[in-house]
Amino acid sequence: MIVLHRKGERGRIDLLLFAPDCQSLFASSNNGASLWSGLPNAVPRHVFPNYRYIRRARFIPDSRYLITDYNALTIHDLSDGTERHFELWSHYLSYFDLAPDGRLLLIAQINRDPPSGWIACCSVDNPTPRDAVWSGELSRSLRISPTCVAGNRFVLMESWWEQSLMRGVFRYVTRSLKTGEELVSVEGPEIGDFPPVVTPDGRFLAGLQNACVIVLSVEDFSKSAATLRNDNRKYFTNIAFHPSGRYLGATSNDATVKLFDTTTWEVARTFTWDIGRMRSIAFSPDGVLAAAGSDTGKVVVWDVDI
């Protein structure tokens, strides 16, 4: 076990992401972001002081590019330190996800009032709607980022207020990644706007909702596969699936990291780290390492050994 702590960093580590080569770890806080290289004896190779509150980040498979969503879509070339910024509609909310092969980007932008916007599938080399592989308009607000799942598909969750029912309606729309064509549309349980996570085999999608983790079957979003509750009064703060798909890791607003067995959805193991309240979690792609970030700017990295 090692603890990473960049000098002067006291921010809340809200996002962690291992590079595909398992040699680097990206950590984002409300005070900026860092890329730690040379795991496990890591040093901060890149520091991004102006990048705060990043909600989603993705590495392309060869680990050369890092893509983030701070203010504008930004592609960081880690080989030479250059950046490409793609200003879209600044008054719109922006979401993105990277296709599994690392060559295509899904970009969605919406306006809350009135609900409108667009979604496009673009090349990573030129992620602009004008040169999109396909694009289309959106007539509903999006609750979550477009999220790639198995079988060259992606999922959107649309939400709106239904006056006749006096409640919000949440509809999961599965579309083709290649064409954008709508394949399935079904109402399902509400999950919060925290970017959801998906098992490596694409069977389950999980998100945070109030004090619970909601797990949904990708083949049937109409009902939850599991609802996970904490064994204390603390809210879950972050989740990630282990690459094997056997475990879902979850941090709480305390010092613990829990691993839930995805066959029983029971707690299989609990780790306690004395570095502050836990805010984020990630697993290395080879499944060997786990990392958890705290509200003190510290990140603990350990051998998962499961």
PDB file of all heavy atoms in Angstrom, residues 193-231:
ATOM      1  N   ASP A 193     -27.215  12.057 -11.384  1.00  0.00           N
ATOM      2  CA  ASP A 193     -26.455  12.500 -12.551  1.00  0.00           C
ATOM      3  C   ASP A 193     -24.965  12.202 -12.449  1.00  0.00           C
ATOM      4  O   ASP A 193     -24.183  12.631 -13.289  1.00  0.00           O
ATOM      5  CB  ASP A 193     -26.677  13.988 -12.812  1.00  0.00           C
ATOM      6  CG  ASP A 193     -26.306  14.860 -11.619  1.00  0.00           C
ATOM      7  OD1 ASP A 193     -25.800  14.317 -10.620  1.00  0.00           O
ATOM      8  OD2 ASP A 193     -26.526  16.079 -11.697  1.00  0.00           O
ATOM      9  N   PHE A 194     -24.541  11.457 -11.413  1.00  0.00           N
ATOM     10  CA  PHE A 194     -23.172  10.950 -11.370  1.00  0.00           C
ATOM     11  C   PHE A 194     -22.963  10.023 -12.567  1.00  0.00           C
ATOM     12  O   PHE A 194     -23.801   9.154 -12.832  1.00  0.00           O
ATOM     13  CB  PHE A 194     -22.965  10.176 -10.064  1.00  0.00           C
ATOM     14  CG  PHE A 194     -21.653   9.459  -9.962  1.00  0.00           C
ATOM     15  CD1 PHE A 194     -20.535  10.109  -9.475  1.00  0.00           C
ATOM     16  CD2 PHE A 194     -21.532   8.130 -10.347  1.00  0.00           C
ATOM     17  CE1 PHE A 194     -19.324   9.447  -9.375  1.00  0.00           C
ATOM     18  CE2 PHE A 194     -20.328   7.462 -10.256  1.00  0.00           C
ATOM     19  CZ  PHE A 194     -19.221   8.126  -9.764  1.00  0.00           C
ATOM     20  N   PRO A 195     -21.872  10.178 -13.345  1.00  0.00           N
ATOM     21  CA  PRO A 195     -21.676   9.316 -14.520  1.00  0.00           C
ATOM     22  C   PRO A 195     -21.734   7.834 -14.144  1.00  0.00           C
ATOM     23  O   PRO A 195     -21.012   7.391 -13.248  1.00  0.00           O
ATOM     24  CB  PRO A 195     -20.278   9.711 -15.010  1.00  0.00           C
ATOM     25  CG  PRO A 195     -20.114  11.126 -14.568  1.00  0.00           C
ATOM     26  CD  PRO A 195     -20.807  11.199 -13.231  1.00  0.00           C
ATOM     27  N   PRO A 196     -22.584   7.057 -14.790  1.00  0.00           N
ATOM     28  CA  PRO A 196     -22.733   5.645 -14.427  1.00  0.00           C
ATOM     29  C   PRO A 196     -21.515   4.827 -14.836  1.00  0.00           C
ATOM     30  O   PRO A 196     -20.691   5.259 -15.646  1.00  0.00           O
ATOM     31  CB  PRO A 196     -23.975   5.214 -15.210  1.00  0.00           C
ATOM     32  CG  PRO A 196     -24.005   6.123 -16.389  1.00  0.00           C
ATOM     33  CD  PRO A 196     -23.464   7.436 -15.907  1.00  0.00           C
ATOM     34  N   VAL A 197     -21.408   3.633 -14.264  1.00  0.00           N
ATOM     35  CA  VAL A 197     -20.326   2.707 -14.595  1.00  0.00           C
ATOM     36  C   VAL A 197     -20.941   1.421 -15.125  1.00  0.00           C
ATOM     37  O   VAL A 197     -22.068   1.065 -14.791  1.00  0.00           O
ATOM     38  CB  VAL A 197     -19.422   2.424 -13.378  1.00  0.00           C
ATOM     39  CG1 VAL A 197     -18.710   3.694 -12.941  1.00  0.00           C
ATOM     40  CG2 VAL A 197     -20.227   1.846 -12.216  1.00  0.00           C
ATOM     41  N   VAL A 198     -20.177   0.718 -15.961  1.00  0.00           N
ATOM     42  CA  VAL A 198     -20.678  -0.479 -16.639  1.00  0.00           C
ATOM     43  C   VAL A 198     -19.693  -1.618 -16.424  1.00  0.00           C
ATOM     44  O   VAL A 198     -18.472  -1.407 -16.424  1.00  0.00           O
ATOM     45  CB  VAL A 198     -20.856  -0.212 -18.154  1.00  0.00           C
ATOM     46  CG1 VAL A 198     -21.376  -1.449 -18.876  1.00  0.00           C
ATOM     47  CG2 VAL A 198     -21.799   0.961 -18.381  1.00  0.00           C
ATOM     48  N   THR A 199     -20.202  -2.832 -16.243  1.00  0.00           N
ATOM     49  CA  THR A 199     -19.330  -3.995 -16.129  1.00  0.00           C
ATOM     50  C   THR A 199     -18.593  -4.218 -17.450  1.00  0.00           C
ATOM     51  O   THR A 199     -19.091  -3.851 -18.519  1.00  0.00           O
ATOM     52  CB  THR A 199     -20.131  -5.262 -15.791  1.00  0.00           C
ATOM     53  OG1 THR A 199     -21.242  -5.368 -16.691  1.00  0.00           O
ATOM     54  CG2 THR A 199     -20.638  -5.230 -14.370  1.00  0.00           C
ATOM     55  N   PRO A 200     -17.392  -4.808 -17.405  1.00  0.00           N
ATOM     56  CA  PRO A 200     -16.629  -5.028 -18.640  1.00  0.00           C
ATOM     57  C   PRO A 200     -17.385  -5.820 -19.704  1.00  0.00           C
ATOM     58  O   PRO A 200     -17.196  -5.585 -20.899  1.00  0.00           O
ATOM     59  CB  PRO A 200     -15.395  -5.798 -18.147  1.00  0.00           C
ATOM     60  CG  PRO A 200     -15.225  -5.360 -16.731  1.00  0.00           C
ATOM     61  CD  PRO A 200     -16.619  -5.190 -16.205  1.00  0.00           C
ATOM     62  N   ASP A 201     -18.255  -6.741 -19.275  1.00  0.00           N
ATOM     63  CA  ASP A 201     -19.024  -7.511 -20.255  1.00  0.00           C
ATOM     64  C   ASP A 201     -20.292  -6.787 -20.692  1.00  0.00           C
ATOM     65  O   ASP A 201     -21.050  -7.292 -21.524  1.00  0.00           O
ATOM     66  CB  ASP A 201     -19.370  -8.896 -19.711  1.00  0.00           C
ATOM     67  CG  ASP A 201     -20.239  -8.842 -18.451  1.00  0.00           C
ATOM     68  OD1 ASP A 201     -20.688  -7.737 -18.067  1.00  0.00           O
ATOM     69  OD2 ASP A 201     -20.463  -9.909 -17.843  1.00  0.00           O
ATOM     70  N   GLY A 202     -20.535  -5.598 -20.135  1.00  0.00           N
ATOM     71  CA  GLY A 202     -21.679  -4.798 -20.551  1.00  0.00           C
ATOM     72  C   GLY A 202     -23.016  -5.269 -20.028  1.00  0.00           C
ATOM     73  O   GLY A 202     -24.061  -4.791 -20.474  1.00  0.00           O
ATOM     74  N   ARG A 203     -23.034  -6.169 -19.049  1.00  0.00           N
ATOM     75  CA  ARG A 203     -24.306  -6.710 -18.554  1.00  0.00           C
ATOM     76  C   ARG A 203     -25.016  -5.765 -17.602  1.00  0.00           C
ATOM     77  O   ARG A 203     -26.243  -5.680 -17.594  1.00  0.00           O
ATOM     78  CB  ARG A 203     -24.074  -8.049 -17.854  1.00  0.00           C
ATOM     79  CG  ARG A 203     -23.671  -9.185 -18.768  1.00  0.00           C
ATOM     80  CD  ARG A 203     -23.419 -10.443 -17.950  1.00  0.00           C
ATOM     81  NE  ARG A 203     -24.570 -10.782 -17.132  1.00  0.00           N
ATOM     82  CZ  ARG A 203     -24.482 -11.312 -15.905  1.00  0.00           C
ATOM     83  NH1 ARG A 203     -23.301 -11.519 -15.357  1.00  0.00           N
ATOM     84  NH2 ARG A 203     -25.574 -11.614 -15.235  1.00  0.00           N
ATOM     85  N   PHE A 204     -24.247  -5.076 -16.750  1.00  0.00           N
ATOM     86  CA  PHE A 204     -24.849  -4.237 -15.722  1.00  0.00           C
ATOM     87  C   PHE A 204     -24.366  -2.798 -15.834  1.00  0.00           C
ATOM     88  O   PHE A 204     -23.209  -2.538 -16.180  1.00  0.00           O
ATOM     89  CB  PHE A 204     -24.516  -4.766 -14.322  1.00  0.00           C
ATOM     90  CG  PHE A 204     -25.094  -6.111 -14.010  1.00  0.00           C
ATOM     91  CD1 PHE A 204     -24.262  -7.213 -13.857  1.00  0.00           C
ATOM     92  CD2 PHE A 204     -26.463  -6.288 -13.866  1.00  0.00           C
ATOM     93  CE1 PHE A 204     -24.779  -8.463 -13.569  1.00  0.00           C
ATOM     94  CE2 PHE A 204     -26.993  -7.538 -13.581  1.00  0.00           C
ATOM     95  CZ  PHE A 204     -26.152  -8.625 -13.429  1.00  0.00           C
ATOM     96  N   LEU A 205     -25.270  -1.886 -15.511  1.00  0.00           N
ATOM     97  CA  LEU A 205     -24.961  -0.466 -15.394  1.00  0.00           C
ATOM     98  C   LEU A 205     -25.351  -0.046 -13.988  1.00  0.00           C
ATOM     99  O   LEU A 205     -26.436  -0.404 -13.509  1.00  0.00           O
ATOM    100  CB  LEU A 205     -25.724   0.334 -16.442  1.00  0.00           C
ATOM    101  CG  LEU A 205     -25.571   1.862 -16.438  1.00  0.00           C
ATOM    102  CD1 LEU A 205     -25.638   2.402 -17.869  1.00  0.00           C
ATOM    103  CD2 LEU A 205     -26.666   2.531 -15.595  1.00  0.00           C
ATOM    104  N   ALA A 206     -24.485   0.699 -13.316  1.00  0.00           N
ATOM    105  CA  ALA A 206     -24.760   1.105 -11.937  1.00  0.00           C
ATOM    106  C   ALA A 206     -24.591   2.605 -11.786  1.00  0.00           C
ATOM    107  O   ALA A 206     -23.732   3.223 -12.423  1.00  0.00           O
ATOM    108  CB  ALA A 206     -23.831   0.371 -10.968  1.00  0.00           C
ATOM    109  N   GLY A 207     -25.427   3.185 -10.935  1.00  0.00           N
ATOM    110  CA  GLY A 207     -25.351   4.617 -10.661  1.00  0.00           C
ATOM    111  C   GLY A 207     -25.723   4.895  -9.218  1.00  0.00           C
ATOM    112  O   GLY A 207     -26.239   4.023  -8.501  1.00  0.00           O
ATOM    113  N   LEU A 208     -25.456   6.112  -8.775  1.00  0.00           N
ATOM    114  CA  LEU A 208     -25.782   6.523  -7.413  1.00  0.00           C
ATOM    115  C   LEU A 208     -27.131   7.231  -7.402  1.00  0.00           C
ATOM    116  O   LEU A 208     -27.444   8.009  -8.297  1.00  0.00           O
ATOM    117  CB  LEU A 208     -24.707   7.467  -6.874  1.00  0.00           C
ATOM    118  CG  LEU A 208     -23.278   6.916  -6.815  1.00  0.00           C
ATOM    119  CD1 LEU A 208     -22.330   7.982  -6.280  1.00  0.00           C
ATOM    120  CD2 LEU A 208     -23.209   5.671  -5.959  1.00  0.00           C
ATOM    121  N   GLN A 209     -27.917   6.956  -6.370  1.00  0.00           N
ATOM    122  CA  GLN A 209     -29.195   7.631  -6.199  1.00  0.00           C
ATOM    123  C   GLN A 209     -29.455   7.786  -4.709  1.00  0.00           C
ATOM    124  O   GLN A 209     -29.693   6.801  -4.008  1.00  0.00           O
ATOM    125  CB  GLN A 209     -30.334   6.850  -6.867  1.00  0.00           C
ATOM    126  CG  GLN A 209     -31.724   7.421  -6.642  1.00  0.00           C
ATOM    127  CD  GLN A 209     -31.882   8.830  -7.195  1.00  0.00           C
ATOM    128  OE1 GLN A 209     -31.120   9.250  -8.060  1.00  0.00           O
ATOM    129  NE2 GLN A 209     -32.854   9.562  -6.699  1.00  0.00           N
ATOM    130  N   ASN A 210     -29.384   9.038  -4.242  1.00  0.00           N
ATOM    131  CA  ASN A 210     -29.520   9.330  -2.818  1.00  0.00           C
ATOM    132  C   ASN A 210     -28.496   8.505  -2.040  1.00  0.00           C
ATOM    133  O   ASN A 210     -27.314   8.565  -2.322  1.00  0.00           O
ATOM    134  CB  ASN A 210     -30.952   9.084  -2.354  1.00  0.00           C
ATOM    135  CG  ASN A 210     -31.934  10.030  -3.015  1.00  0.00           C
ATOM    136  OD1 ASN A 210     -31.589  11.164  -3.340  1.00  0.00           O
ATOM    137  ND2 ASN A 210     -33.157   9.575  -3.231  1.00  0.00           N
ATOM    138  N   ALA A 211     -28.927   7.692  -1.089  1.00  0.00           N
ATOM    139  CA  ALA A 211     -27.983   6.944  -0.260  1.00  0.00           C
ATOM    140  C   ALA A 211     -27.696   5.554  -0.811  1.00  0.00           C
ATOM    141  O   ALA A 211     -27.023   4.763  -0.150  1.00  0.00           O
ATOM    142  CB  ALA A 211     -28.529   6.822   1.162  1.00  0.00           C
ATOM    143  N   CYS A 212     -28.175   5.246  -2.014  1.00  0.00           N
ATOM    144  CA  CYS A 212     -28.093   3.882  -2.543  1.00  0.00           C
ATOM    145  C   CYS A 212     -27.269   3.818  -3.827  1.00  0.00           C
ATOM    146  O   CYS A 212     -27.045   4.825  -4.498  1.00  0.00           O
ATOM    147  CB  CYS A 212     -29.494   3.341  -2.838  1.00  0.00           C
ATOM    148  SG  CYS A 212     -30.590   3.294  -1.411  1.00  0.00           S
ATOM    149  N   VAL A 213     -26.847   2.597  -4.146  1.00  0.00           N
ATOM    150  CA  VAL A 213     -26.323   2.275  -5.469  1.00  0.00           C
ATOM    151  C   VAL A 213     -27.412   1.494  -6.193  1.00  0.00           C
ATOM    152  O   VAL A 213     -27.901   0.482  -5.680  1.00  0.00           O
ATOM    153  CB  VAL A 213     -25.038   1.425  -5.389  1.00  0.00           C
ATOM    154  CG1 VAL A 213     -24.579   1.033  -6.793  1.00  0.00           C
ATOM    155  CG2 VAL A 213     -23.939   2.182  -4.663  1.00  0.00           C
ATOM    156  N   ILE A 214     -27.812   1.967  -7.363  1.00  0.00           N
ATOM    157  CA  ILE A 214     -28.820   1.285  -8.168  1.00  0.00           C
ATOM    158  C   ILE A 214     -28.110   0.536  -9.286  1.00  0.00           C
ATOM    159  O   ILE A 214     -27.357   1.138 -10.059  1.00  0.00           O
ATOM    160  CB  ILE A 214     -29.838   2.277  -8.771  1.00  0.00           C
ATOM    161  CG1 ILE A 214     -30.457   3.148  -7.668  1.00  0.00           C
ATOM    162  CG2 ILE A 214     -30.909   1.531  -9.551  1.00  0.00           C
ATOM    163  CD1 ILE A 214     -31.263   2.390  -6.651  1.00  0.00           C
ATOM    164  N   VAL A 215     -28.330  -0.770  -9.373  1.00  0.00           N
ATOM    165  CA  VAL A 215     -27.729  -1.602 -10.415  1.00  0.00           C
ATOM    166  C   VAL A 215     -28.832  -2.027 -11.374  1.00  0.00           C
ATOM    167  O   VAL A 215     -29.866  -2.555 -10.951  1.00  0.00           O
ATOM    168  CB  VAL A 215     -27.041  -2.847  -9.818  1.00  0.00           C
ATOM    169  CG1 VAL A 215     -26.364  -3.654 -10.925  1.00  0.00           C
ATOM    170  CG2 VAL A 215     -26.025  -2.446  -8.754  1.00  0.00           C
ATOM    171  N   LEU A 216     -28.617  -1.786 -12.668  1.00  0.00           N
ATOM    172  CA  LEU A 216     -29.615  -2.098 -13.686  1.00  0.00           C
ATOM    173  C   LEU A 216     -29.053  -3.100 -14.681  1.00  0.00           C
ATOM    174  O   LEU A 216     -27.857  -3.084 -14.986  1.00  0.00           O
ATOM    175  CB  LEU A 216     -30.030  -0.829 -14.435  1.00  0.00           C
ATOM    176  CG  LEU A 216     -30.575   0.323 -13.584  1.00  0.00           C
ATOM    177  CD1 LEU A 216     -30.777   1.558 -14.447  1.00  0.00           C
ATOM    178  CD2 LEU A 216     -31.868  -0.075 -12.909  1.00  0.00           C
ATOM    179  N   SER A 217     -29.920  -3.958 -15.194  1.00  0.00           N
ATOM    180  CA  SER A 217     -29.539  -4.862 -16.272  1.00  0.00           C
ATOM    181  C   SER A 217     -29.602  -4.107 -17.591  1.00  0.00           C
ATOM    182  O   SER A 217     -30.614  -3.471 -17.899  1.00  0.00           O
ATOM    183  CB  SER A 217     -30.479  -6.067 -16.312  1.00  0.00           C
ATOM    184  OG  SER A 217     -30.281  -6.811 -17.502  1.00  0.00           O
ATOM    185  N   VAL A 218     -28.528  -4.153 -18.361  1.00  0.00           N
ATOM    186  CA  VAL A 218     -28.494  -3.441 -19.639  1.00  0.00           C
ATOM    187  C   VAL A 218     -29.547  -3.985 -20.601  1.00  0.00           C
ATOM    188  O   VAL A 218     -30.045  -3.263 -21.464  1.00  0.00           O
ATOM    189  CB  VAL A 218     -27.079  -3.530 -20.251  1.00  0.00           C
ATOM    190  CG1 VAL A 218     -27.053  -3.028 -21.687  1.00  0.00           C
ATOM    191  CG2 VAL A 218     -26.092  -2.733 -19.397  1.00  0.00           C
ATOM    192  N   GLU A 219     -29.914  -5.241 -20.456  1.00  0.00           N
ATOM    193  CA  GLU A 219     -30.912  -5.836 -21.343  1.00  0.00           C
ATOM    194  C   GLU A 219     -32.339  -5.495 -20.939  1.00  0.00           C
ATOM    195  O   GLU A 219     -33.268  -5.692 -21.717  1.00  0.00           O
ATOM    196  CB  GLU A 219     -30.734  -7.360 -21.382  1.00  0.00           C
ATOM    197  CG  GLU A 219     -29.378  -7.803 -21.897  1.00  0.00           C
ATOM    198  CD  GLU A 219     -29.030  -7.210 -23.258  1.00  0.00           C
ATOM    199  OE1 GLU A 219     -29.938  -7.081 -24.101  1.00  0.00           O
ATOM    200  OE2 GLU A 219     -27.853  -6.857 -23.466  1.00  0.00           O
ATOM    201  N   ASP A 220     -32.534  -4.976 -19.719  1.00  0.00           N
ATOM    202  CA  ASP A 220     -33.876  -4.604 -19.272  1.00  0.00           C
ATOM    203  C   ASP A 220     -33.761  -3.527 -18.202  1.00  0.00           C
ATOM    204  O   ASP A 220     -33.623  -3.817 -17.015  1.00  0.00           O
ATOM    205  CB  ASP A 220     -34.622  -5.818 -18.719  1.00  0.00           C
ATOM    206  CG  ASP A 220     -36.059  -5.480 -18.308  1.00  0.00           C
ATOM    207  OD1 ASP A 220     -36.498  -4.340 -18.577  1.00  0.00           O
ATOM    208  OD2 ASP A 220     -36.726  -6.346 -17.724  1.00  0.00           O
ATOM    209  N   PHE A 221     -33.820  -2.270 -18.641  1.00  0.00           N
ATOM    210  CA  PHE A 221     -33.673  -1.152 -17.717  1.00  0.00           C
ATOM    211  C   PHE A 221     -34.943  -0.871 -16.920  1.00  0.00           C
ATOM    212  O   PHE A 221     -34.959   0.031 -16.090  1.00  0.00           O
ATOM    213  CB  PHE A 221     -33.287   0.116 -18.487  1.00  0.00           C
ATOM    214  CG  PHE A 221     -31.866   0.137 -18.958  1.00  0.00           C
ATOM    215  CD1 PHE A 221     -31.568  -0.026 -20.303  1.00  0.00           C
ATOM    216  CD2 PHE A 221     -30.831   0.322 -18.067  1.00  0.00           C
ATOM    217  CE1 PHE A 221     -30.255   0.002 -20.748  1.00  0.00           C
ATOM    218  CE2 PHE A 221     -29.514   0.352 -18.496  1.00  0.00           C
ATOM    219  CZ  PHE A 221     -29.224   0.189 -19.841  1.00  0.00           C
ATOM    220  N   SER A 222     -36.009  -1.616 -17.163  1.00  0.00           N
ATOM    221  CA  SER A 222     -37.284  -1.293 -16.535  1.00  0.00           C
ATOM    222  C   SER A 222     -37.312  -1.591 -15.041  1.00  0.00           C
ATOM    223  O   SER A 222     -38.178  -1.106 -14.328  1.00  0.00           O
ATOM    224  CB  SER A 222     -38.423  -2.051 -17.227  1.00  0.00           C
ATOM    225  OG  SER A 222     -38.260  -3.451 -17.069  1.00  0.00           O
ATOM    226  N   LYS A 223     -36.380  -2.403 -14.558  1.00  0.00           N
ATOM    227  CA  LYS A 223     -36.343  -2.699 -13.128  1.00  0.00           C
ATOM    228  C   LYS A 223     -34.896  -2.872 -12.696  1.00  0.00           C
ATOM    229  O   LYS A 223     -34.027  -3.242 -13.492  1.00  0.00           O
ATOM    230  CB  LYS A 223     -37.138  -3.959 -12.815  1.00  0.00           C
ATOM    231  CG  LYS A 223     -36.708  -5.186 -13.602  1.00  0.00           C
ATOM    232  CD  LYS A 223     -37.632  -6.357 -13.340  1.00  0.00           C
ATOM    233  CE  LYS A 223     -37.231  -7.574 -14.177  1.00  0.00           C
ATOM    234  NZ  LYS A 223     -38.150  -8.703 -13.964  1.00  0.00           N
ATOM    235  N   SER A 224     -34.659  -2.596 -11.428  1.00  0.00           N
ATOM    236  CA  SER A 224     -33.289  -2.683 -10.922  1.00  0.00           C
ATOM    237  C   SER A 224     -32.911  -4.133 -10.656  1.00  0.00           C
ATOM    238  O   SER A 224     -33.723  -4.929 -10.171  1.00  0.00           O
ATOM    239  CB  SER A 224     -33.131  -1.858  -9.643  1.00  0.00           C
ATOM    240  OG  SER A 224     -33.972  -2.340  -8.628  1.00  0.00           O
ATOM    241  N   ALA A 225     -31.655  -4.477 -10.991  1.00  0.00           N
ATOM    242  CA  ALA A 225     -31.143  -5.812 -10.682  1.00  0.00           C
ATOM    243  C   ALA A 225     -30.775  -5.911  -9.209  1.00  0.00           C
ATOM    244  O   ALA A 225     -30.820  -6.989  -8.617  1.00  0.00           O
ATOM    245  CB  ALA A 225     -29.924  -6.114 -11.554  1.00  0.00           C
ATOM    246  N   ALA A 226     -30.400  -4.772  -8.618  1.00  0.00           N
ATOM    247  CA  ALA A 226     -30.056  -4.744  -7.197  1.00  0.00           C
ATOM    248  C   ALA A 226     -30.074  -3.307  -6.712  1.00  0.00           C
ATOM    249  O   ALA A 226     -29.806  -2.373  -7.473  1.00  0.00           O
ATOM    250  CB  ALA A 226     -28.680  -5.361  -6.955  1.00  0.00           C
ATOM    251  N   THR A 227     -30.402  -3.132  -5.448  1.00  0.00           N
ATOM    252  CA  THR A 227     -30.302  -1.840  -4.777  1.00  0.00           C
ATOM    253  C   THR A 227     -29.409  -2.034  -3.562  1.00  0.00           C
ATOM    254  O   THR A 227     -29.752  -2.801  -2.654  1.00  0.00           O
ATOM    255  CB  THR A 227     -31.682  -1.314  -4.344  1.00  0.00           C
ATOM    256  OG1 THR A 227     -32.511  -1.147  -5.502  1.00  0.00           O
ATOM    257  CG2 THR A 227     -31.552   0.019  -3.631  1.00  0.00           C
ATOM    258  N   LEU A 228     -28.258  -1.389  -3.569  1.00  0.00           N
ATOM    259  CA  LEU A 228     -27.273  -1.589  -2.510  1.00  0.00           C
ATOM    260  C   LEU A 228     -27.360  -0.436  -1.518  1.00  0.00           C
ATOM    261  O   LEU A 228     -27.321   0.734  -1.906  1.00  0.00           O
ATOM    262  CB  LEU A 228     -25.862  -1.661  -3.096  1.00  0.00           C
ATOM    263  CG  LEU A 228     -25.670  -2.608  -4.284  1.00  0.00           C
ATOM    264  CD1 LEU A 228     -24.218  -2.604  -4.727  1.00  0.00           C
ATOM    265  CD2 LEU A 228     -26.121  -4.015  -3.934  1.00  0.00           C
ATOM    266  N   ARG A 229     -27.454  -0.795  -0.251  1.00  0.00           N
ATOM    267  CA  ARG A 229     -27.508   0.204   0.814  1.00  0.00           C
ATOM    268  C   ARG A 229     -26.299   0.036   1.719  1.00  0.00           C
ATOM    269  O   ARG A 229     -25.808  -1.071   1.916  1.00  0.00           O
ATOM    270  CB  ARG A 229     -28.803   0.066   1.614  1.00  0.00           C
ATOM    271  CG  ARG A 229     -30.040   0.420   0.802  1.00  0.00           C
ATOM    272  CD  ARG A 229     -31.326   0.221   1.591  1.00  0.00           C
ATOM    273  NE  ARG A 229     -32.476   0.747   0.868  1.00  0.00           N
ATOM    274  CZ  ARG A 229     -33.128   0.090  -0.074  1.00  0.00           C
ATOM    275  NH1 ARG A 229     -32.740  -1.139  -0.409  1.00  0.00           N
ATOM    276  NH2 ARG A 229     -34.160   0.640  -0.688  1.00  0.00           N
ATOM    277  N   ASN A 230     -25.856   1.136   2.269  1.00  0.00           N
ATOM    278  CA  ASN A 230     -24.694   1.094   3.139  1.00  0.00           C
ATOM    279  C   ASN A 230     -25.063   0.488   4.488  1.00  0.00           C
ATOM    280  O   ASN A 230     -26.238   0.487   4.883  1.00  0.00           O
ATOM    281  CB  ASN A 230     -24.141   2.511   3.335  1.00  0.00           C
ATOM    282  CG  ASN A 230     -22.632   2.525   3.444  1.00  0.00           C
ATOM    283  OD1 ASN A 230     -22.019   1.502   3.741  1.00  0.00           O
ATOM    284  ND2 ASN A 230     -22.028   3.674   3.211  1.00  0.00           N
ATOM    285  N   ASP A 231     -24.044  -0.022   5.186  1.00  0.00           N
ATOM    286  CA  ASP A 231     -24.303  -0.592   6.504  1.00  0.00           C
ATOM    287  C   ASP A 231     -24.166   0.462   7.601  1.00  0.00           C
ATOM    288  O   ASP A 231     -24.113   0.139   8.782  1.00  0.00           O
ATOM    289  CB  ASP A 231     -23.370  -1.776   6.777  1.00  0.00           C
ATOM    290  CG  ASP A 231     -21.901  -1.408   6.626  1.00  0.00           C
ATOM    291  OD1 ASP A 231     -21.609  -0.209   6.449  1.00  0.00           O
ATOM    292  OD2 ASP A 231     -21.053  -2.317   6.677  1.00  0.00           O
TER     293      ASP A 231
END
